[in-house]
């Protein structure tokens, strides 16, 4: 009961926040967006004209011009071009949320489509794959290391974790990617330098999957190596402060093993805060992750954005930014739901 | 606990942290270097950096000179100074000659021969005669050279002369020659095997003869045997010295890092601190505002915004800060909530102390040390964000950035070619610039963080 | 009466920047089977440290510097940690804490935690057993499904006592079990402890700074000051005719029905890292003599009674 109310509240708050964030984006890119829509209207109109000429060879030039003009006006009308700003805003936002992102200037989806939504859809899964696997790895390994460090407070591991965290906070993950490529791909020649599969990809499901894993290794590892230290440090701090609480002493007095105290009682109690920290970590590491894609030519949204920047393909930049916003919101939202499960005060309706 | 005493306590405790003090020392060194760079760099130097043609005289994609100490034979550039011009003319035109010698003891050829003629008047022809230790010579003729222009193995007239020499030695017809073939010819053992032979060691001579119109006055020419290694950090593929770029990138990194961090932390801490302090519906509204920004993918947003905002140091720092303050707001709100639960805050309310006064006396004094620690800790993040954007090609015009250098490195496949210096040094500089802030930040954080009671 | 628990010459020290803190010195203590024994003293006198030492839960860098603790004849300080954990903690000796308010792990239900402690020590557990325990401390069965934050302070304390009795231990160390409870709940908890002793025959070492509370429950009393036992004896005698000037001061500071005239003991407890030669109480003692400054008085007496004071 408490949890249902919590979910309802969070959902409302996140939906509104997403609207607000996209509005912010909208205002920030307003002039570009108008240009982009006009450009795609021109594109669509010439497409329409070609079809018209093919389908109705008998039309006169004047008739043709008037048909095309009507079509273009209707196209722009759908984006509220002849309307006052609030209507225009509403129409264009609605278009964004329906994934009517227009067509790109140059970039094509693998199937040849120039629809931004199709392009983004083609690149999106790779980003989700790399980013979620990376995040899960960071949270799992960083969390365990942090807990172990907290257990031996003052010990060797406990002294190493802050050092690793310090070094990690000053290294860009994509740059580490560079170094890995130079070393593992070109110097040792043991792993591919980039991309998501060999060209041509090996035949058969299993070899293809192994090939894919080989390509995933370096980007994943460079994302992991730069992010787990900070997370281990945060987990350690949270665990150490939790271990100072009375219930830990009483748990020991109850005759529990250290492992049970640490991995059941301390971890479980600190887990809501750890989830909160994971949420912040996810928000913070997305930027690094998408740039890591660039270095490894991993065909995800980051790589797509980089290509779009190079080619000045504005529709693609806007589209991928919009999708990234939605992804980040989903990630944080899932984090909140997990938090709700972990904190009993939410279940009982006390928070 | 009166505040100034507490502050002095913080300082003493900070000074006890060895890493913190080390960070502080490094920080001072960084800022001093940066100040030096700012004082000695003019805008024209930045423009020169951004013009690849200005660096033609340098070896391209050359490793640092010190690789020679590690068993690599990578000759450095030899600048030749032509001796006095002797006037050969007797009457109508102007004819001058000059020459210079150098000794070559490397096992590999140089990477290029470069000549920049400088003269007043008009030159009809310039002959560069390259004489090897065994006495054979290669003549490269340039007709109507332009004063101040750059002539090297890639110029067609040089190619022509060298191709003739190769043909004469090997007896084979040469349709086109590459620069490595040219330098192999200039340094190799004469004969059939010229292009695959070992390098001749000994004294080489470069002689220049110019023939021009009356009134010709040659002055100091730049003649260089371009090496295979350069400076402390090598060069990029257009010959720009990486060490120069790395040094020139320091002020910008420190500026964007410090400015962004101060704005974001102060803004975030005030927002979050106030939110926790006010509580209730105002807190909920402000926390929601934090969520909106937290959940916007900053980097992608900045890329999108950069098409509508002219990027300067200030605008870029403000945009980055405007999208990264929520983390600080969230932590500050937690701190604020814990202060709020203290009895003296309730006492204030009971005594009718104004809200503003309570906020400034109890909350701001507690939040200030946290702010200082955050600022130091987060500078590295802002440096990295700035460089990341530059790496993606989003940076103000007229600045030299490490991210920009790395962008060029990936565009020219530095990793593929094994040009490690081009990738290594700018990246290491990002770490060097970030690390001291992180060290100081961690030390401060440990000092000001609410400690676990030892019981 | 044979002693269930017997501490002999127990000393607990921990290093600090100011020098070694002597939290407890030369402590002799006995708890008989089925007995309620009080251990009283001002806060900071070393009572809690002593209990933690006997439970082998001293927070580092604290350590037992000397002495032994015999439980049923076994020195529980010298056996291996794993054996102590398995055979003694909670199974033979359990504890009710000063902070039992926060003694339950906040994210598990009360029932789950009682069940857990039973299972890790190889008992059956289960809803029926938990219900029986909760009813024993006058709580409703439904409490088992509640989270700690849903309970009141008194309910939490009762639930914790139920958990302390879950494995039918022979001894419960009750460290300030009533602090932070209101007066009526305090009395209820004390009555509960007395009743449980009667029903289960468990021995209880009741540690508190509250003499009024102890006088209701304990048969025998130890008084600690600055880490040492300064007086011991049957509680009615000790409270009626206190011998040690510290006990006298403490008794005078306790409000009773007859006299509302409360007098505190002037001065403060000495720094346990810088104890001098003489009696630790002499700076505050109204009857201090020359010898008190020079030499520390030993605890002397016959049978269960004794006092450490030069006056006797």
């Amino acid at each position: 009961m408490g949890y249902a109310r919590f979910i309802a509240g969070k959902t409302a708050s996140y939906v509104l926040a997403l609207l607000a964030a996209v509005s912010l984006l909208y205002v920030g890119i307003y002039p570009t967006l108008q240009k982009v829509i006009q450009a795609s209207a021109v594109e669509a109109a010439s497409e329409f004209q070609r079809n018209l000429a093919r389908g109705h060879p008998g039309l006169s030039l004047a008739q043709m011009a008037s048909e095309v003009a009507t079509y273009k006006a209707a196209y722009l009308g759908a984006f509220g071009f002849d309307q006052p700003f609030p209507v225009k805003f509403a129409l264009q936002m609605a278009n964004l949320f329906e994934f009517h992102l227009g067509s790109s200037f140059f970039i094509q989806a693998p199937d040849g489509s120039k629809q931004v939504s199709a392009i983004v859809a083609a690149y999106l899964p790779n980003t989700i794959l790399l980013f979620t696997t990376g995040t899960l790895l960071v949270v799992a390994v960083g969390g365990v290391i942090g807990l172990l460090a907290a257990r031996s407070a003052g010990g060797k591991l406990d002294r190493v974790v802050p050092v690793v965290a310090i070094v990690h906070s000053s290294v860009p993950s994509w740059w580490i990617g560079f170094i890995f490529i130079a070393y593992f791909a070109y110097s040792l020649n043991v792993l591919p330098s980039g991309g998501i599969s060999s060209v041509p990809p090996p035949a058969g499901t299993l070899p293809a999957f192994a090939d894919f894993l080989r390509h995933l290794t370096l980007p994943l590892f460079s994302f992991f190596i730069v992010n787990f230290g900070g997370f281990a440090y945060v987990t350690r701090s949270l665990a150490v402060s939790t271990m100072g609480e009375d219930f830990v002493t009483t748990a020991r007095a109850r005759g529990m093993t250290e492992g049970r105290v640490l991995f059941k009682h301390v971890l479980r109690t600190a887990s809501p805060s750890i989830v909160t920290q994971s949420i912040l970590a996810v928000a913070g590491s997305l930027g690094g992750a998408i740039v890591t894609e660039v270095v490894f030519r991993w065909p995800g949204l980051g790589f797509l954005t980089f290509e779009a920047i190079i080619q000045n393909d504005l529709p693609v930049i806007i589209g991928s930014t919009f999708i990234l916003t939605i992804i980040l919101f989903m990630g944080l939202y899932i984090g909140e739901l997990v938090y709700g499960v972990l904190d009993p005060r939410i279940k009982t309706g006390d928070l | 606990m009166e505040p100034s005493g507490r502050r002095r306590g913080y300082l003493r405790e900070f000074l006890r942290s060895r890493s913190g003090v080390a960070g502080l020392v490094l920080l001072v060194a960084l800022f001093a270097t940066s100040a030096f760079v700012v004082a000695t760099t003019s805008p024209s130097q930045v423009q020169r950096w951004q013009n690849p043609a200005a660096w033609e005289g340098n070896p391209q994609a050359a490793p640092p000179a010190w690789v020679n100490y590690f068993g690599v034979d990578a000759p450095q550039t030899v600048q030749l100074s032509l001796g006095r011009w002797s006037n050969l003319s007797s009457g109508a035109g102007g004819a001058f000659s000059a020459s210079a010698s150098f000794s070559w003891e490397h096992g590999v050829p140089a990477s290029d021969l470069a000549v920049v003629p400088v003269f007043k008047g008009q030159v009809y022809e310039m002959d560069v005669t390259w004489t090897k230790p065994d006495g054979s010579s290669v003549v490269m003729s340039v007709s109507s050279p332009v004063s101040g222009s750059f002539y090297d193995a890639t110029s067609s007239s040089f190619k022509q002369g060298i191709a003739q020499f190769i043909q004469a030695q090997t007896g084979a017809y040469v349709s086109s020659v590459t620069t490595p073939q040219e330098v192999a010819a200039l340094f190799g053992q004469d004969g059939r095997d010229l292009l695959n032979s070992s390098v001749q060691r000994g004294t080489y001579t470069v002689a220049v003869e110019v023939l021009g119109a009356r009134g010709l006055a040659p002055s100091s020419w730049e003649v260089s045997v371009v090496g295979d290694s350069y400076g402390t950090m090598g060069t990029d593929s257009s010959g720009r010295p990486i060490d120069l770029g790395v040094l020139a990138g320091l002020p910008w990194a420190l500026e964007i890092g410090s400015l962004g961090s101060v704005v974001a932390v102060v803004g975030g801490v005030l927002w979050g601190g106030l939110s926790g302090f006010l509580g209730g519906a105002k807190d909920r509204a402000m926390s929601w505002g934090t969520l909106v920004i937290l959940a916007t993918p900053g980097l992608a947003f900045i890329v999108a915004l950069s098409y509508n905002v002219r990027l300067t140091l200030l605008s870029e720092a403000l945009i980055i800060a405007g999208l990264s303050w929520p983390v600080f707001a969230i932590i500050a709100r937690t701190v604020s909530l814990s202060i709020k639960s203290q009895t003296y805050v309730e006492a204030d309310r009971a005594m009718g102390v104004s809200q503003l006064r309570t906020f400034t006396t109890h909350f701001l004094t507690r939040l200030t040390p946290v702010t200082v620690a955050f600022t130091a800790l987060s500078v590295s993040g802002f440096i990295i964000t700035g460089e990341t954007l530059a790496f993606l090609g989003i940076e103000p015009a007229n600045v030299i950035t490490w991210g920009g250098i790395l962008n060029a490195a990936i565009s020219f496949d530095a990793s593929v070619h094994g040009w490690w210096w081009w990738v290594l040094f700018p990246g290491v500089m990002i770490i060097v610039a970030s690390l001291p802030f992180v060290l100081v930040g961690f030390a401060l954080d440990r000092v000001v963080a609410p400690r676990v009671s030892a019981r | 009466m044979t002693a269930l628990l017997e501490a002999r010459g127990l000393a607990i020290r921990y290093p600090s920047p100011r020098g070694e803190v002597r939290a407890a010195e030369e402590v002799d203590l006995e708890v008989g089977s089925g007995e309620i024994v009080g251990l009283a003293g001002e806060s900071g006198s070393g009572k809690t440290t002593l209990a933690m030492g006997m439970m082998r839960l001293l927070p580092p860098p604290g350590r037992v510097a000397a002495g032994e603790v015999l439980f049923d004849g076994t020195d529980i300080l010298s056996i291996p940690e794993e054996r102590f954990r398995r055979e003694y903690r909670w199974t033979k000796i359990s504890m009710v804490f000063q902070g039992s308010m926060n003694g339950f792990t906040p994210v598990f239900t009360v029932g789950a935690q009682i069940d857990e402690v039973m299972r890790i020590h190889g008992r059956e557990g289960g809803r029926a057993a938990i219900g029986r325990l909760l009813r024993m401390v006058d709580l409703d069965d439904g409490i088992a499904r509640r989270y700690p934050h849903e309970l009141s302070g008194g309910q939490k304390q009762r639930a914790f006592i139920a958990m302390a009795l879950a494995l039918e231990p022979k001894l419960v160390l009750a460290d300030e079990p009533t602090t932070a409870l209101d007066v009526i709940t305090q009395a209820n908890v004390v009555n509960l402890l007395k009743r449980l002793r009667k029903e289960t025959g468990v021995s209880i070492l009741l540690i508190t700074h509250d003499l009024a509370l102890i006088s209701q429950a304990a048969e025998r009393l130890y008084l600690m000051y600055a880490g040492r036992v300064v007086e011991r004896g049957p509680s009615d005698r000790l409270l009626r005719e206190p011998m040690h000037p510290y006990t006298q001061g403490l008794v005078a500071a306790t409000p009773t029905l007859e006299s509302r005239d409360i007098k505190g003991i002037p001065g403060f407890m000495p720094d346990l890292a810088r104890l001098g030669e003489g009696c630790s109480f002499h700076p505050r003692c109204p009857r201090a003599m020359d010898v008190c400054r020079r030499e520390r008085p030993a605890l002397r007496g016959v049978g269960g009674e004794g006092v450490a004071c030069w006056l006797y």
Side-chain angles (χ1 to χ4, degrees):
Chain A
M1 155 212 80
Y3 190 58
R5 214 181 60 208
F6 169 81
I7 291 185
K10 283 294 170 195
T11 310
S13 153
Y14 268 78
V15 167
L16 285 177
L18 180 61
L19 278 174
V22 177
S23 310
L24 263 183
L25 176 67
Y26 179 82
V27 172
I29 59 173
Y30 180 76
T32 324
L33 190 62
Q34 306 315 308
K35 259 184 273 169
V36 165
I37 294 172
Q38 261 160 345
S40 72
V42 170
E43 173 97 350
S46 66
E47 171 87 26
F48 173 78
Q49 188 170 14
R50 274 196 299 278
N51 290 339
L52 201 64
R54 221 174 293 131
H56 306 272
L59 283 178
S60 76
L61 274 181
Q63 276 171 319
M64 185 97 106
S66 116
E67 284 289 325
V68 169
T70 317
Y71 176 83
K72 197 176 161 190
Y75 187 100
L76 288 173
F79 288 94
F81 258 72
D82 47 354
Q83 310 273 352
F85 181 77
V87 181
K88 193 174 181 178
F89 169 75
L91 279 173
Q92 296 189 352
M93 286 283 279
N95 271 296
L96 266 182
F97 277 100
E98 285 165 22
F99 300 104
H100 294 158
L101 304 168
S103 43
S104 71
F105 291 167
F106 311 102
I107 295 176
Q108 292 183 348
D111 65 1
S113 163
K114 280 183 84 177
Q115 285 300 308
V116 171
S117 48
I119 298 171
V120 169
Y123 284 80
L124 175 64
N126 297 332
T127 291
I128 293 184
L129 185 87
L130 180 61
F131 190 53
T132 29
T133 333
T135 305
L136 290 179
L137 207 60
V138 165
V139 168
V141 179
V144 169
I145 291 179
L147 280 176
L148 292 178
R151 178 164 73 172
S152 60
K156 209 174 276 173
L157 187 62
D158 195 32
R159 280 198 300 268
V160 169
V161 166
V163 175
V164 175
I166 285 176
V167 174
H168 284 178
S169 323
S170 28
V171 183
S173 58
W174 47 270
W175 180 73
I176 284 290
F178 256 142
I179 302 295
F180 282 172
I181 291 175
Y183 188 67
F184 290 105
Y186 293 111
S187 182
L188 295 186
N189 205 4
V190 288
L191 284 166
S193 67
I196 195 168
S197 64
S198 303
V199 183
T205 318
L206 211 62
F209 185 66
D211 179 60
F212 163 76
L213 284 186
R214 270 166 51 76
H215 283 80
L216 178 65
T217 308
L218 279 186
L220 191 62
F221 191 56
S222 54
F223 177 79
F224 169 74
I225 205 88
V226 170
N227 286 299
F228 85 91
F231 192 73
Y233 183 73
V234 167
T235 310
R236 177 202 157 270
S237 309
L238 289 173
V240 164
S241 73
T242 306
M243 282 168 79
E245 294 198 31
D246 289 334
F247 76 83
V248 177
T249 313
T250 73
R252 287 201 187 106
R254 280 179 253 166
M256 295 180 195
T257 56
E258 269 308 290
R260 180 178 276 271
V261 172
L262 186 68
F263 285 100
K264 188 169 175 201
H265 290 248
V266 171
L267 176 59
R268 185 61 187 71
T269 305
S271 60
S273 326
I274 293 178
V275 168
T276 307
Q277 288 300 327
S278 316
I279 291 176
L280 294 182
V282 166
S285 61
L286 181 64
I290 64 175
V291 183
T292 305
E293 292 181 357
V294 175
V295 175
F296 287 99
R297 287 178 287 118
W298 181 264
L301 288 180
F303 182 67
L304 177 66
T305 307
F306 182 67
E307 289 291 305
I309 292 172
I310 291 177
Q311 304 188 26
N312 247 342
D313 204 326
L314 292 167
V316 175
I317 292 178
I318 293 171
S320 73
T321 306
F322 173 68
I323 299 297
L324 278 173
T325 310
I326 290 184
I327 296 195
L328 190 51
F329 263 90
M330 303 260 275
L332 301 194
Y333 180 65
I334 292 170
E336 291 275 8
L337 298 189
V338 173
Y339 180 95
V341 175
L342 291 177
D343 192 334
R345 286 175 302 175
I346 284 165
K347 220 177 298 173
T348 56
D350 290 286
L351 202 79
Chain B
M1 269 240 198
E2 44 92 39
S4 79
R6 195 193 303 143
R7 223 164 283 148
R8 231 174 290 133
Y10 285 150
L11 185 66
R12 201 173 324 122
E13 214 169 312
F14 174 79
L15 291 178
R16 216 181 289 150
S17 153
R18 246 179 304 161
S19 58
V21 173
L24 204 60
V25 171
L26 285 174
L27 214 55
V28 171
L30 270 185
F31 274 99
T33 314
S34 176
F36 171 77
V37 173
V38 171
T40 53
T41 313
S42 63
S44 67
Q45 276 167 296
V46 177
Q47 275 168 15
R48 180 160 184 249
W49 174 267
Q50 286 165 344
N51 171 23
W55 305 94
E56 282 174 327
N58 285 348
Q60 284 152 10
W66 47 261
V67 295
N68 283 300
Y69 295 112
F70 293 90
V72 180
D73 196 2
Q76 281 176 261
T77 299
V78 182
Q79 294 283 354
L80 300 181
S81 61
L82 294 178
R84 268 171 43 78
W85 288 100
S86 47
N87 196 337
L88 308 173
S89 58
S90 50
F96 296 88
S97 79
S99 72
S101 300
F102 64 96
S103 98
W104 191 261
E105 297 299 338
H106 295 281
V108 291
S111 67
D112 199 1
L113 170 67
V115 179
V116 180
V118 183
F119 53 84
K120 284 201 186 76
Q122 196 190 358
V123 171
Y124 304 136
E125 189 173 305
M126 157 175 105
D127 289 336
V128 178
T129 308
W130 173 269
T131 310
K132 300 199 206 179
D134 69 358
S136 70
S137 54
V138 186
V139 181
M140 291 150 278
S141 303
V142 181
S143 50
S144 308
V146 181
S147 175
S149 285
F150 183 87
Y151 298 91
D152 72 347
T154 59
S155 336
S156 56
S157 27
F158 273 36
K159 273 191 195 296
Q160 208 183 340
I162 296 170
Q164 276 168 10
F165 178 75
I166 296 173
Q167 231 161 311
Q169 292 293 330
T170 61
Y173 172 71
V174 184
S175 60
S176 71
V177 286
T178 63
T179 306
Q181 286 174 326
E182 287 177 87
V183 291
L186 288 178
F187 284 88
Q189 306 285 351
D190 294 331
R192 237 163 224 301
D193 238 4
L194 176 68
L195 294 183
N196 302 314
S197 63
S198 60
V199 165
Q200 285 193 35
R201 295 172 200 240
T203 307
Y204 289 77
T205 307
V206 181
V208 181
E209 245 180 73
V210 281
L211 190 69
R214 183 189 294 276
L216 172 67
S219 53
S220 59
W221 288 28
E222 282 174 31
V223 179
S224 53
V225 179
V226 181
D228 287 321
S229 65
Y230 191 91
T232 52
M233 298 184 187
T235 61
D236 69 7
S237 63
S238 36
R240 294 184 292 196
I242 303 289
D243 48 9
L244 210 63
V246 156
L247 207 57
L250 180 61
W252 189 80
L254 294 182
E255 284 160 7
I256 192 96
S258 320
L259 194 60
S261 151
V262 167
V263 174
V265 172
V266 171
V269 167
L270 276 179
W271 182 271
L274 206 58
S275 165
F277 168 73
L278 292 172
K282 285 176 196 147
D283 178 35
R284 278 198 296 280
M286 289 177 86
S287 296
W288 179 81
T290 312
L291 172 67
V292 172
I293 305 297
L294 175 75
T296 50
L299 206 64
F301 254 56
I302 300 169
V303 170
L305 292 186
S306 69
Y307 287 87
N308 291 315
V309 180
R310 204 176 69 83
L311 283 188
T312 60
L313 172 68
L314 186 67
S315 69
E316 188 175 342
L318 287 181
I319 294 177
I320 297 178
L323 289 165
S324 36
W325 57 265
V327 178
F328 312 113
I330 289 169
I331 307 174
R333 180 173 169 273
T334 321
V335 176
S336 197
L337 285 177
S338 81
I339 301 171
K340 206 177 176 185
S341 65
Q342 307 277 332
T343 40
Y344 50 74
V345 176
E346 274 173 45
D348 262 17
R349 199 169 43 207
M351 289 187 293
V353 175
S354 80
Q355 279 215 319
L356 181 70
R357 203 180 143 70
T358 308
F359 186 68
T360 46
T361 52
H362 291 317
F363 288 71
L364 284 188
T365 47
R366 290 297 188 82
L367 287 170
T368 307
V370 179
T371 310
V372 173
F374 280 174
T375 308
L377 258 182
S378 62
V379 172
S380 70
F382 286 89
I383 291 179
I384 290 174
T385 306
E387 299 300 344
T388 302
L389 282 166
F391 173 68
L392 292 177
I394 312 273
E395 58 181 356
N398 304 323
V399 291
I400 300 172
T401 61
W402 303 322
I405 297 174
L406 288 168
N407 173 294
I410 197 173
S411 310
F412 288 94
D413 289 330
S415 305
V416 182
H417 293 110
W419 300 332
W420 52 268
W421 54 92
W422 192 356
V423 173
L424 187 68
F425 296 115
V428 166
M429 269 315 276
I430 298 180
I431 301 174
V432 167
S434 309
L435 200 61
F437 289 101
V438 182
L439 285 173
V440 170
F442 262 78
L444 282 175
D445 188 50
R446 229 169 298 147
V447 173
V448 302
R451 245 145 313 169
V452 189
S453 61
R455 200 181 124 85
Chain C
M1 185 168 62
T2 52
L4 175 68
L5 177 88
E6 190 178 354
R8 285 198 212 134
L10 201 57
I12 294 170
R13 299 178 193 153
Y14 50 93
S16 86
R18 292 168 297 124
E20 184 151 76
V21 176
R22 292 163 181 258
E25 284 292 314
E26 295 174 20
V27 173
D28 294 333
L29 199 78
E30 264 180 38
V31 181
S33 212
E35 200 184 13
I36 297 186
V37 174
L39 181 63
E42 285 171 285
S43 42
S45 59
K47 308 170 309 241
T48 299
T49 310
L50 206 59
M52 295 306 258
M54 292 192 285
M55 242 353 211
R56 295 181 58 167
L57 284 173
L58 282 175
R63 65 193 172 88
V64 174
E68 52 184 15
V69 176
L70 300 178
F71 189 91
D72 263 347
T74 311
D75 182 5
I76 53 173
L77 295 185
S78 61
I79 60 175
E81 165 67 23
E82 180 57 22
R83 186 177 153 211
F84 180 72
R85 181 187 73 75
R86 218 193 293 270
E87 295 178 16
Y88 288 88
R89 277 207 192 116
W90 225 254
T91 51
K92 292 196 175 125
I93 312 174
S94 67
M95 197 166 173
V96 178
F97 289 83
Q98 194 166 3
S100 287
M101 305 277 114
N102 309 315
F104 285 106
T105 305
V107 291
F108 301 120
T109 60
V110 168
Q113 299 191 50
I114 298 178
D115 193 55
E116 180 189 24
V117 82
M118 293 173 90
R119 285 178 194 285
I120 57 179
H121 290 290
R123 305 295 167 88
E124 189 77 3
R127 198 185 295 172
I130 296 166
R132 201 168 55 244
L133 282 165
L134 289 173
R135 279 194 302 275
M136 194 157 80
V137 296
D138 300 328
L139 285 173
D140 192 75
D141 288 21
I143 295 285
R145 289 190 305 274
R146 302 280 196 84
Y147 286 95
H149 74 268
E150 296 179 279
L151 306 186
S152 72
Q155 284 175 319
K156 267 191 269 190
Q157 195 62 291
R158 281 167 183 277
F160 203 90
I161 292 172
M163 182 158 73
L165 296 172
L167 304 174
E168 291 148 10
K170 292 187 172 168
L171 174 67
V172 175
L173 305 177
D175 182 14
E176 304 275 10
T178 60
T179 332
L181 296 178
D182 62 80
V183 183
I184 296 179
T185 319
Q186 282 189 4
N188 284 339
V189 168
V190 171
N191 289 333
L192 174 67
L193 288 176
K194 284 165 77 175
R195 205 191 79 214
L196 290 173
R197 190 265 307 256
K198 200 178 290 171
E199 287 173 7
T200 63
V202 66
S203 309
I204 297 172
L205 180 64
L206 184 60
I207 301 168
T208 180
H209 66 281
D210 185 352
L211 278 188
L213 178 86
I214 246 176
S215 64
Q216 294 173 39
E219 285 106 27
R220 287 192 307 115
L221 208 50
Y222 289 84
L223 257 134
M224 278 188 86
Y225 184 77
R228 286 167 189 272
V229 174
V230 292
E231 187 167 1
R232 64 165 187 242
S235 46
D236 44 344
R237 193 282 291 163
L238 219 130
L239 295 175
R240 221 177 37 245
E241 301 160 6
M243 294 170 77
H244 197 285
Y246 173 64
T247 323
Q248 290 168 356
L250 217 55
V251 171
T254 308
T256 59
L257 284 178
E258 296 87 61
S259 116
R260 303 207 158 204
D261 187 21
I262 305 166
K263 285 176 265 171
I265 309 173
F268 300 97
M269 183 105 65
D271 184 345
L272 293 179
R274 289 177 185 156
L275 290 175
E277 291 288 287
C279 172
S280 302
F281 188 61
H282 84 260
R284 299 168 76 183
C285 184
R287 301 165 71 182
M289 305 172 290
D290 263 0
V291 61
C292 302
R293 266 176 279 277
R294 287 196 316 271
E295 219 176 311
R296 188 185 300 283
L299 185 70
R300 284 162 301 159
V302 272
E305 301 208 38
V307 64
C309 182
W310 290 118
L311 286 170
Y312 304 96

